[in-house]
Amino acid sequence: MADKNQKIIDQAIDQEYKYGFTTDIEQTKFKPGLDEEVIKKLSKLKKEPKWLLDWRLKAFKRWKKMEEPTWAQVKYDPIDYQALSYYAAPKKKVNESLDDVDPEILETYNKLGISLNEQKRLEGVAVDAVFDSVSIGTTFKEELAKHGVIFCSFSEAVVNHPELIKKYLGTVIPASDNYFAALNSAVFSDGSFVYIPKGVKCPLELSTYFRINASNTGQFERTLIIADEGSYVSYLEGCTAPMRDENQLHAACVELVAHKDATIKYSTIQNWFAGDKDGNGGIYNFVTKRGRCQGDNSKISWTQVETGSAVTWKYPSVIMQGDNSVGEFYSVAVTKNKQQADTGTKMIHIGKNTKSTIITKGISAGEGQNTYRGAVKILKDAENAQNFSQCDSILIGDKCGAHTFPYIDVKNPTAKMEHEATTSSIGEDQLFYCNQRGIKLDDAVSMIVNGFCKEVFEELPMEFAVEAKQLIEVTLENSVG
Amino acid sequence: MIKIKDLMASIEDKQILNGINLNINPGEVHVIMGRNGSGKSTLANVIAGNEAYEVEKGSILMNNENITEMSIENRALNGIFLCFQYPVAIPGVSMAYFLRSALNAHLEHQGKEEIDALEFLKNSKKILNELGLDDSFLKRAINDGFSGGEKKKSEILQLLSINPKLAVLDETDSGLDVDALRTVAKGVNKFKNKNNAVLIITHYQRLLNYIKPDIVHLMIDGKIVKTGDMSLVEKVENDGYSWLEK
């Protein structure tokens, strides 16, 4: 039995990564290296105001004095930041209209199953497509504009809505927040910007699709979402990258601000290239995501399905500042082969009657290492704060690992905290039971794993829940014997 | 239907079955009784192909096909159904999803089309009704938080839906109150016909008050030491097993 398990686990490792192709296009790319000149050049190229350049340069100064964090349960070779290029963009001029986009790039997105053609659009979803360092187009802008919703690339927002950018940029994740956030603040190239006006329920799901294509290039996007009073938005990001032998750095920042009575639902399906079976190549995904429930009765909900990346370092967090505000974090993280994930959340309770929920599902197969790291902080004035945390891990095979590091810091005695954690193997008895009913091994594994992830999948928008399920099935095919 | 010849099996190098011979024909109900640790449940598991057990010698033939080396799911698809003594929970997987997947696996194996959702629901509700279970049972995660009685009824629901050739009931009567026992027995009686067969593994007579066996086997130390009719059951109820030991 053990030998058979091993054999089938080994087979799983030869799994093809479906999105590993590259797009052959002419591109403008900076020479590798990072200094103030590179940042100035980038800022100029983007026609940025002086205050933004200054903000970048200040972040760069801070970054140079900072040290790369080592506390995460991940191991990787040192990154040579001078060997990376900090800007790569398709040469063909990107214009207002999607009609002007290089057909090669449209074809790339078609292959990824993302149609930028509005006629063939995904039902009820507006897409911003980010290709390497630039946004190449956003669909449904006009329809959204009718409702006063702004959904555009970050660069465009800097030009067209500088007052909003200036007001909010760096207010949730300060430029000096951490090593990777500081780097991002210095060199971020593009990303998405969303503003939902007062009282508007955004009529479409908004989504950004990130594609890393160029080699030896870091992707540093920045997303900023503002939900004004009483508004609602559901936003989804998807990510893929070609298979390359070298590791590629992705250091993004996502800032969310929810005003009084507003709700932001942010979902991620992360499927970056994870490296090959020997752990060569793959994306280093070092991402800072944080939301602030600024007004009373506001809500921010993070849902993530993490299946890709060689190394993941990511802790989507919520600061519950307004009274009665709500923070949620739902996560499924899958690691196989030599993938490593250190992911979790921070829930910071400041306002009264604030409530947070954390539900995480870690799945480890092959030699994957999966770590949950979460902090719940109840500050002094957070009367009647409540947190519920549930962290479950499942192990497939005997070479993988699951680790849980919950940190709890309570400064107000009225707080209610609940924490549950389980680790289990996919039981031989569960597999036997399914097999005995005629259900094949692969189907049994995906059934058991999907059941295990159910609470999180239920949080995803409908179309993406199906995608997430399939992704998990493909990822775990043949991982048990 | 099933012919077991000289079967020897072990778990973790511990010999459990010491040469089992058993022949069950279509239309028959067999009972195997024996003390704890005599190897009854091992036999049930080995018939189903549980890979935790090692078959060292002998063979199992199902409709003249040697299935001794066959995978668990192929045995199942060929008509072997095990009513588990301790059915395992699979959190988050609904009874409906599980049962429909199982049914469709069988239908696919038989070269038939998948069952459509409405028909599935209709058939399942009918069986649920007979077992005194609410329709909402289908929405619950399989065996997750089920009571002892619900677990066994769930097994019978699956038995009646899948409708296999051979049903092996591994101590299906354990942990049931009288009402649940009757319901389970009613389900088994509904299942059996002249084309299929039932193998009941039990300690006690009580299930046999409701399901009449044709042939009774007594098992000691991994061997069938006595085969007879219903009178053997009464003898065991009165005298235990020690009279069988030399």
Side-chain angles (χ1 to χ4, degrees), chain A residues 34-51:
Chain A
L34 180 58
D35 56 20
E36 289 199 358
E37 288 314 307
V38 168
I39 294 169
K40 283 178 187 164
K41 199 170 144 193
L42 178 69
S43 184
K44 196 178 163 195
L45 196 77
K46 301 225 159 246
K47 303 188 179 75
E48 288 176 353
K50 184 163 183 307
W51 70 264

Side-chain angles (χ1 to χ4, degrees), chain B:
Chain B
M1 174 161 305
I2 191 162
K3 278 198 181 97
I4 298 174
K5 269 162 72 182
D6 207 20
L7 187 67
M8 295 175 84
S10 63
I11 184 164
E12 286 161 5
D13 294 328
K14 195 173 163 232
Q15 188 78 28
I16 310 273
L17 300 183
N18 289 306
I20 297 280
N21 288 291
L22 184 64
N23 194 354
I24 304 177
N25 296 311
E28 291 179 352
V29 177
H30 287 231
V31 172
I32 295 183
M33 297 183 81
R35 289 185 182 127
N36 284 332
S38 59
K40 304 185 303 292
S41 282
T42 296
L43 178 62
N45 275 279
V46 171
I47 291 173
N50 189 337
E51 289 166 355
Y53 299 87
E54 190 80 39
V55 172
E56 271 145 15
K57 224 185 128 210
S59 62
I60 306 173
L61 302 183
M62 178 85 179
N63 292 328
N64 296 321
E65 186 181 0
N66 190 336
I67 61 163
T68 321
E69 298 293 322
M70 195 182 265
S71 71
I72 307 160
E73 65 267 27
N74 281 330
R75 292 180 198 221
L77 296 172
N78 275 300
I80 291 176
F81 183 95
L82 178 61
C83 271
F84 283 76
Q85 184 177 4
Y86 305 110
V88 63
I90 309 178
V93 177
S94 74
M95 192 73 209
Y97 185 78
F98 180 82
L99 185 54
R100 203 166 155 221
S101 304
L103 261 180
N104 282 333
H106 281 82
L107 290 169
E108 192 195 328
H109 180 77
Q110 293 156 18
K112 292 181 188 156
E113 277 196 28
E114 291 197 346
I115 187 163
D116 78 80
L118 275 177
E119 202 189 331
F120 167 74
L121 222 57
K122 209 178 97 195
N123 294 350
S124 305
K125 281 181 180 174
K126 205 173 137 225
I127 302 170
L128 283 169
N129 204 1
E130 285 165 358
L131 296 173
L133 291 166
D134 194 79
D135 290 356
S136 64
F137 196 69
L138 287 173
K139 288 186 187 152
R140 292 174 63 186
I142 186 154
N143 299 320
D144 196 15
F146 282 20
S147 70
E150 284 171 335
K151 279 186 187 169
K152 298 297 166 76
K153 286 179 186 176
S154 148
E155 295 292 289
I156 300 298
L157 164 66
Q158 295 174 54
L159 170 71
L160 290 171
S161 304
I162 292 172
N163 194 23
K165 291 183 189 124
L166 173 70
V168 181
L169 275 56
D170 187 8
E171 307 209 13
T172 299
D173 50 347
S174 66
L176 293 184
D177 62 38
V178 182
D179 289 336
L181 187 72
R182 276 197 194 126
T183 309
V184 163
K186 199 176 126 195
V188 176
N189 284 326
K190 187 174 155 46
F191 162 74
K192 66 171 193 173
N193 61 39
K194 63 181 190 331
N195 298 317
N196 61 29
V198 179
L199 174 61
I200 298 170
I201 283 166
T202 184
H203 282 293
Y204 306 108
Q205 187 184 351
R206 46 188 222 136
L207 182 64
L208 308 176
N209 293 332
Y210 304 100
I211 307 169
K212 292 292 163 211
D214 302 299
I215 295 169
V216 178
H217 309 274
L218 302 182
M219 193 162 167
I220 286 184
D221 294 336
K223 266 192 157 165
I224 290 174
V225 291
K226 190 102 188 149
T227 295
D229 59 17
M230 194 61 189
S231 63
L232 269 183
V233 178
E234 277 154 45
K235 174 125 179 98
V236 165
E237 271 311 291
N238 295 328
D239 304 341
Y241 295 95
S242 44
W243 59 278
L244 289 161
E245 286 164 328
K246 286 170 194 151

Side-chain angles (χ1 to χ4, degrees), chain A residues 74-257:
Chain A
V74 292
K75 284 188 201 123
Y76 56 93
D77 290 336
I79 299 166
D80 181 356
Y81 291 92
Q82 295 303 333
L84 292 175
S85 165
Y86 287 82
Y87 185 81
K91 213 164 210 168
K92 199 165 178 190
K93 195 87 181 115
V94 178
N95 281 329
E96 296 296 299
S97 161
L98 277 164
D99 301 337
D100 299 335
V101 174
D102 190 326
E104 280 285 333
I105 293 177
L106 288 181
E107 184 50 35
T108 299
Y109 281 89
N110 278 338
K111 272 200 223 170
L112 298 169
I114 312 289
S115 178
L116 297 177
N117 180 331
E118 295 193 7
Q119 273 78 51
K120 289 187 218 149
R121 68 198 174 155
L122 199 53
E123 199 71 31
V125 183
V127 181
D128 182 29
V130 176
F131 194 82
D132 290 329
S133 305
V134 291
S135 164
I136 56 129
T138 309
T139 61
F140 294 104
K141 269 189 187 169
E142 283 163 26
E143 187 171 341
L144 290 168
K146 278 188 227 154
H147 298 267
V149 172
I150 304 168
F151 179 39
C152 62
S153 73
F154 202 93
S155 309
E156 239 178 288
V158 169
V159 175
N160 296 334
H161 309 283
E163 71 296 342
L164 287 172
I165 300 286
K166 198 169 180 184
K167 186 171 170 192
Y168 290 103
L169 178 68
T171 60
V172 188
I173 305 172
S176 56
D177 187 78
N178 66 68
Y179 188 79
F180 298 112
L183 177 63
N184 175 286
S185 301
V187 303
F188 74 87
S189 46
D190 215 335
S192 298
F193 175 77
V194 175
Y195 174 79
I196 314 289
K198 275 185 193 171
V200 171
K201 183 180 188 299
C202 187
L204 297 169
E205 299 266 352
L206 303 185
S207 91
T208 300
Y209 199 90
F210 294 102
R211 174 74 178 169
I212 296 180
N213 186 60
S215 60
N216 288 317
T217 306
Q219 193 178 42
F220 305 95
E221 85 271 1
R222 189 133 196 143
T223 298
L224 177 57
I225 300 178
I226 322 289
D228 216 328
E229 287 182 18
S231 68
Y232 170 89
V233 62
S234 169
Y235 179 93
L236 183 122
E237 61 169 5
C239 346
T240 59
M243 286 156 88
R244 294 190 188 279
D245 294 339
E246 81 269 17
N247 294 106
Q248 287 178 284
L249 177 63
H250 173 251
C253 280
V254 176
E255 295 181 281
L256 312 180
V257 179

